[in-house]
Amino acid sequence: MNKPKHNFKKKLNAIYVFSEDNQVYLKKNTLTKNDTISNEEWLPVNFQWGSPIG
């Protein structure tokens, strides 16, 4: 018996992050209609480490 062939392309959802001079940045991509990246931008975010034990 032949098994059906599936040609699924899975996309990895990832958030790119880096820090520099005590500032954290997230990468924002703007996609076109055919899912290609048209613009790449790094946005600063407020980030503070917190202790899980109060």
Side-chain angles (χ1 to χ4, degrees):
M1 185 189 318
N2 292 335
K3 291 184 179 181
K5 292 183 181 180
H6 296 285
N7 193 13
F8 295 113
K9 290 184 178 180
K10 293 184 179 183
K11 292 185 178 182
L12 177 65
N13 290 330
I15 299 174
Y16 297 93
V17 179
F18 85 95
S19 66
E20 181 176 75
D21 297 327
N22 292 324
Q23 177 65 56
V24 176
Y25 297 88
L26 293 178
K27 183 178 177 183
K28 177 185 175 189
N29 291 329
T30 304
L31 301 177
T32 62
K33 288 182 182 178
N34 59 353
D35 289 337
T36 59
I37 296 174
S38 66
N39 190 20
E40 179 181 292
E41 185 178 7
W42 287 94
L43 304 172
V45 294
N46 293 330
F47 182 81
Q48 183 178 5
W49 287 105
S51 172
I53 302 171

